[in-house]
Amino acid sequence: MTPSDKIAAALARGQRFLLLTHQDPDADGVGSVLALGRSLCDAGKETTLLFQAPLGPPLCFLKGAERAVTQLDDRKIFDAAVILDCAEKNRLGRAADYLYKELPLINIDHHETNDHFGTLNLVDPKSSSTAELVFGVIRAADLPMGPEAAENLFAAIQGDTGSFRYGNTTAKTFRVAAELVDLGALPWDISRRIRDNHSMARLRLLGLALETVCLRLQGRVAVMTLTREMMEEAGAHETDTEEFVDYPRFIRGVEMGVLIRETGQNTTKVSIRSNNWVNAARLAARFGGGGHARAAGFTCRGAAGTALTLFLKEARRFLDGTRD
Ligand code: 5GP
Ligand code: MN
């Protein structure tokens, strides 16, 4: 039996499921949870969708998002927890507190740094998104897939492929997307609601952020910086920085685009995107983070300047080929 078949059998057999994704979730994590939750529910099963924190715009506009909770009754028992798009258990944040010892874990993910923490694991780094894997599992388990599940899977795939542009987009991705459209997903409607639906604060923040972009390491790295003061000045929220890191990456000749963002008094989040060959996941792993070959990140202590100095030192080794 393939991992997908084993998971399909467990989903068909069980009755009560807890569904989770990583903290600070993206469209792939949230869309996968909502889609699988909807399919299991339509099959007559009891589902609990748990996020660490309430969803803000735009992900709260995904259909079914209002059903999710941020807390659980500690005594609640499940047949399994399905953990989606999450490379390690500690990326669940506080939601991991609800995973009691005997609870079987079903791990469905596409991060190459996934550590196979589950009782059952479906981990495929070649998959564009976790949602593409969830599509296969729903089909293998013969669960219903209505327009709401289709829309959420479509939004998830669109998010992780940069609207079907990134190198992770395969012929299969398009085939799955075409099936989702057949099932009722509306690409233009989803795009306007989830992707092209920005606050004025986001645009103000982008203006400030673009001013900071500079080239380093002989033009091979482009860096964008967001300080806490800039976030405050723009009145922006963390989710308003989604995809900002693409702007430095877009510069001709640049191999790596980097966004350095202060997230707290003494913590900084670093997002890395590479264009051609640097393995961003391995570079992020040097700092305790992870991700994919072309998109990865990590969090470190210190303000933006400190984080950048440490990062550039290691990035130079990767670019010079003295570390990989
Ligand atoms: P982003 O830069 O958009 O936050 O994340 C890009 C990719 O890197 C995502 O797939 C995300 O899951 C992964 N990633 C970002 N930050 C971390 C981190 O701190 N730890 C791990 N393991 N992965 C991360
Ligand atoms: Mn993903």
Side-chain angles (χ1 to χ4, degrees):
M1 256 174 55
T2 65
S4 179
D5 290 337
K6 282 186 196 155
I7 290 173
L11 294 179
R13 213 170 38 237
Q15 186 57 32
R16 296 156 302 177
F17 294 100
L18 175 65
L19 277 70
L20 313 134
T21 184
H22 58 89
Q23 57 187 356
D24 306 319
D26 54 12
D28 189 28
V30 175
S32 295
V33 165
L34 297 178
L36 184 58
R38 172 48 50 210
S39 283
L40 288 166
C41 203
D42 288 350
K45 294 170 193 288
E46 201 185 298
T47 56
T48 303
L49 318 183
L50 177 71
F51 295 121
Q52 184 184 264
L55 294 174
L59 298 180
C60 63
F61 303 134
L62 285 170
K63 291 195 186 126
E66 68 288 347
R67 279 200 303 275
V69 297
T70 54
Q71 278 180 355
L72 280 187
D73 178 346
D74 279 338
R75 287 156 308 180
K76 211 164 155 73
I77 300 288
F78 301 96
D79 295 317
V82 189
I83 301 170
L84 297 160
D85 201 42
C86 185
E88 311 137 41
K89 230 158 81 174
N90 68 14
R91 285 272 289 155
L92 287 169
R94 274 185 296 103
D97 298 346
Y98 293 107
L99 304 178
Y100 51 88
K101 212 165 113 252
E102 311 77 34
L103 179 63
L105 305 182
I106 298 176
N107 168 20
I108 305 178
D109 186 32
H110 69 133
H111 290 92
E112 69 170 50
T113 46
N114 190 293
D115 63 9
H116 290 73
F117 60 82
T119 320
L120 294 174
N121 300 283
L122 171 57
V123 177
D124 181 2
K126 290 201 198 71
S127 180
S128 71
S129 51
T130 297
E132 202 177 304
L133 297 172
V134 169
F135 176 90
V137 168
I138 291 176
R139 276 287 151 84
D142 208 13
L143 294 168
M145 191 152 25
E148 189 179 303
E151 158 173 334
N152 283 318
L153 290 179
F154 190 95
I157 296 172
Q158 196 183 31
D160 262 26
T161 58
S163 294
F164 306 93
R165 288 155 45 233
Y166 299 156
N168 58 0
T169 312
T170 63
K172 184 174 173 215
T173 313
F174 283 111
R175 272 184 221 111
V176 169
E179 281 202 53
L180 294 172
V181 172
D182 279 339
L183 290 165
L186 302 169
W188 177 232
D189 178 60
I190 296 166
S191 299
R192 274 189 306 125
R193 205 152 26 88
I194 310 303
R195 301 185 63 81
D196 310 342
N197 191 358
H198 298 156
S199 63
M200 192 57 209
R202 177 181 161 116
L203 252 68
R204 271 197 300 271
L205 187 67
L206 180 60
L208 298 173
L210 289 173
E211 294 283 334
T212 70
V213 175
C214 61
L215 293 174
R216 307 299 291 266
L217 303 179
Q218 299 87 39
R220 294 174 295 174
V221 177
V223 184
M224 174 187 268
T225 308
L226 281 173
T227 61
R228 297 219 298 156
E229 291 75 27
M230 289 158 72
M231 299 292 287
E232 266 167 44
E233 185 183 335
H237 187 261
E238 275 187 24
T239 55
D240 288 323
T241 64
E242 197 72 33
E243 298 187 356
F244 275 23
V245 63
D246 275 334
Y247 287 96
R249 181 183 65 79
F250 286 157
I251 300 168
R252 193 175 300 124
V254 160
E255 170 58 18
M256 251 190 288
V258 184
L259 171 66
I260 311 270
R261 178 167 64 88
E262 292 176 352
T263 49
Q265 196 91 60
N266 195 33
T267 52
T268 297
K269 165 86 204 259
V270 178
S271 288
I272 310 166
R273 300 292 184 269
S274 67
N275 270 323
N276 293 308
W277 63 274
V278 170
N279 189 312
R282 278 188 215 145
L283 178 49
R286 301 285 307 166
F287 299 92
H292 309 283
R294 300 284 162 266
F298 64 91
T299 297
C300 65
R301 300 197 72 59
T306 318
L308 179 59
T309 308
L310 290 172
F311 172 79
L312 287 175
K313 206 167 149 210
E314 197 60 35
R316 180 194 294 277
R317 297 199 177 111
F318 274 70
L319 285 160
D320 292 346
T322 50
R323 172 120 66 208
D324 71 356

